[in-house]
Amino acid sequence: MSCKPMELYYGHLQQNFHTMKSPISMKSSSTQFAASTRMDVYDPKHQNGVWRDSFKADSSQNTCMSAIIEPDARIEDKLDESHRDTPKKFDQETYKPSDKVLRRLAQNREAARKSRLRKKAYVQQLESSRIKLAQLEQELEMAKQQGVYIGEHKGDPNGGFSGTINPGVTAFEMEYGHWVEEQNRQLCELRAALQAHVSDIELQMLVESCMSHYYNLFRIKEIAAKSDVFYVMSGMWKTAAERFFIWIGGFRPSELLKVLTPQLDPLTEQQLVAVCNLQQSSQQAEDALSQGLDKLQQTLAETLTSDHPLGALGVANYMGQMANAMGQLEALVGFVNQADHLRQQTLQQMYKILTTRQVARGLLALGDYFQRLRALSSLWAARPREPT
């Protein structure tokens, strides 16, 4: 009787203990409790086994729970990391430039590149302009040294110049300076080719280039004559020694043939006859032009010296007289063009009569002749003078 209450007390504790446990272990505990209540006598060994089994079940329950909780913790950590990474990705997407901004940046870079190129081209243009200006100044100084004194006699009726600079004349002076430089270069090439005994084809190309160079001189003279025919006819664009042999703004073809013919030997009999006929026909053409120029001078003098009455009627006649004289002077342009045409025809006829090598020697002799005249002018200008 005394042991029965103790049994009931332990059974009561066991029931309450398993009641507080989780639902997962209640099934096993209730089974054990039912088994123990059927026992009439308290068995300590059996009771200790029940407690051990309960604790084992409880520990297995905890292990299962930890296994469940551990993945949950990893998931939560990943969620936290994703929440932490989300603002960064959002910020990158927020600050990522749009296509419109990228196009605008590309346009700005292209505009800056073009601006740098324009600046570079502008600097190069300024540099080339500076070089050209220096060349023009040098050419004008050389022209003045050769006898072209534009504007030095301003206001002087005896000087022959009105003091105003003619743009056409200035342009011709510069072009003629370039022409002389190019002629010197061509003469060097022609001399080197003759000394090296190059082929006829190569020599032909040099000869044609020299011929075209003379044709270009006649062209620019025609343009300059329209601006100031007296300037071209007087030969002020040439040196002093060259002006001594001037004839209507250039050289006499017949006199030039006399100078060149000895340099062309040996000539065949047929070539010699052709050169003599060309010299005779050139002389006749020169005489015809010279006679026409003399006739023009006589007519102009008669126009200017004709008597005119005084008074208002006399003033009207005077103005008509000046207009008539102006018209007669315009014929001078035609004389200059005809003289240059005769010079060009003479060169072309010589080109047809002679062989390629003979023409090359003739052009070389012609260029050397003009170079010697220019050298003579320089020596004459630099000669020592007696003090006045």
Side-chain angles (χ1 to χ4, degrees):
M1 291 291 291
S2 61
C3 293
K4 190 161 186 178
M6 183 65 69
E7 267 183 302
L8 292 174
Y9 176 73
Y10 280 108
H12 177 73
L13 286 177
Q14 186 177 6
Q15 183 178 2
N16 290 336
F17 176 77
H18 289 291
T19 303
M20 292 185 294
K21 295 169 82 171
S22 63
I24 300 174
S25 60
M26 286 183 66
K27 183 176 180 179
S28 61
S29 62
S30 62
T31 305
Q32 293 176 0
F33 175 73
S36 63
T37 54
R38 287 193 297 267
M39 294 181 183
D40 295 337
V41 183
Y42 171 68
D43 188 358
K45 295 180 179 180
H46 177 71
Q47 191 67 29
N48 290 334
V50 171
W51 281 97
R52 282 195 301 271
D53 294 339
S54 298
F55 281 110
K56 288 180 180 179
D58 189 45
S59 63
S60 65
Q61 174 68 19
N62 292 335
T63 303
C64 295
M65 291 298 292
S66 64
I68 294 172
I69 292 171
E70 186 176 357
D72 293 341
R74 288 197 298 268
I75 293 172
E76 290 179 358
D77 292 339
K78 290 182 179 179
L79 289 174
D80 293 339
E81 292 177 358
S82 65
H83 284 300
R84 286 194 299 270
D85 294 340
T86 301
K88 295 181 180 178
K89 294 180 180 179
F90 178 74
D91 293 341
Q92 292 177 357
E93 293 178 356
T94 302
Y95 292 102
K96 183 179 180 181
S98 62
D99 294 339
K100 183 177 180 180
V101 174
L102 291 176
R103 287 195 300 269
R104 181 63 58 84
L105 292 175
Q107 291 176 357
N108 292 341
R109 287 193 296 268
E110 183 66 18
R113 187 183 67 84
K114 291 181 179 179
S115 178
R116 290 192 297 269
L117 291 177
R118 287 195 298 269
K119 182 179 179 181
K120 184 178 180 180
Y122 179 68
V123 172
Q124 292 177 351
Q125 184 179 4
L126 287 178
E127 182 65 19
S128 62
S129 300
R130 185 187 66 80
I131 295 174
K132 288 181 180 180
L133 181 60
Q135 291 177 350
L136 290 177
E137 292 177 352
Q138 184 179 3
E139 290 171 357
L140 287 176
E141 186 65 24
M142 291 175 59
K144 288 181 180 180
Q145 292 178 0
Q146 291 176 358
V148 181
Y149 305 100
I150 300 177
E152 287 190 357
H153 303 281
K154 185 175 181 179
D156 185 5
N158 298 323
F161 293 94
S162 62
T164 59
I165 298 177
N166 191 327
V169 171
T170 305
F172 172 76
E173 289 176 357
M174 291 187 293
E175 290 187 23
Y176 180 70
H178 291 304
W179 187 90
V180 172
E181 293 177 358
E182 179 63 19
Q183 185 191 37
N184 294 334
R185 187 191 65 81
Q186 289 182 354
L187 290 177
C188 292
E189 291 182 353
L190 199 60
R191 183 177 290 106
L194 288 173
Q195 292 176 354
H197 301 285
V198 298
S199 63
D200 290 343
I201 297 177
E202 296 179 8
L203 196 61
Q204 179 75 19
M205 294 175 62
L206 293 176
V207 167
E208 291 179 355
S209 179
C210 292
M211 295 286 289
S212 299
H213 193 55
Y214 278 103
Y215 301 158
N216 186 43
L217 175 62
F218 302 145
R219 181 187 61 81
I220 62 176
K221 282 178 62 181
E222 181 180 1
I223 297 174
K226 295 178 181 178
S227 297
D228 191 348
V229 65
F230 287 107
Y231 171 81
V232 176
M233 288 191 64
S234 62
M236 291 302 296
W237 45 282
K238 287 182 171 292
T239 60
E242 288 177 301
R243 289 197 300 271
F244 181 71
F245 296 95
I246 201 75
W247 175 76
I248 314 181
F251 57 86
R252 284 180 176 268
S254 60
E255 294 296 330
L256 195 61
L257 289 175
K258 293 178 182 179
V259 174
L260 294 181
T261 301
Q263 307 295 329
L264 303 177
D265 291 335
L267 293 174
T268 63
E269 184 178 355
Q270 183 178 2
Q271 287 177 334
L272 188 58
V273 171
V275 169
C276 292
N277 292 335
L278 179 60
Q279 183 177 351
Q280 185 177 0
S281 61
S282 297
Q283 183 68 56
Q284 293 175 355
E286 292 170 14
D287 293 340
L289 285 175
S290 297
Q291 292 175 4
L293 191 59
D294 292 340
K295 181 64 175 178
L296 177 61
Q297 290 176 349
Q298 182 180 357
T299 304
L300 183 60
E302 292 175 355
T303 302
L304 294 176
T305 57
S306 61
D307 295 334
H308 55 276
L310 299 176
L313 185 59
V315 173
N317 291 334
Y318 175 79
M319 296 302 297
Q321 205 175 53
M322 291 295 105
N324 188 17
M326 290 287 292
Q328 292 173 359
L329 287 178
E330 291 179 356
L332 290 175
V333 177
F335 279 96
V336 173
N337 293 336
Q338 291 180 34
D340 282 339
H341 181 67
L342 178 60
R343 298 180 186 104
Q344 183 172 345
Q345 278 189 332
T346 303
L347 290 175
Q348 290 175 348
Q349 292 298 322
M350 289 290 292
Y351 180 80
K352 293 179 180 179
I353 295 171
L354 304 175
T355 64
T356 301
R357 294 192 178 274
Q358 287 174 336
V359 174
R361 292 204 308 269
L363 290 173
L364 184 60
L366 179 61
D368 289 340
Y369 174 71
F370 289 132
Q371 282 184 343
R372 290 189 180 97
L373 287 176
R374 288 191 286 267
L376 178 61
S377 299
S378 299
L379 293 174
W380 176 256
R383 72 188 187 281
R385 295 177 177 83
E386 295 181 0
T388 57

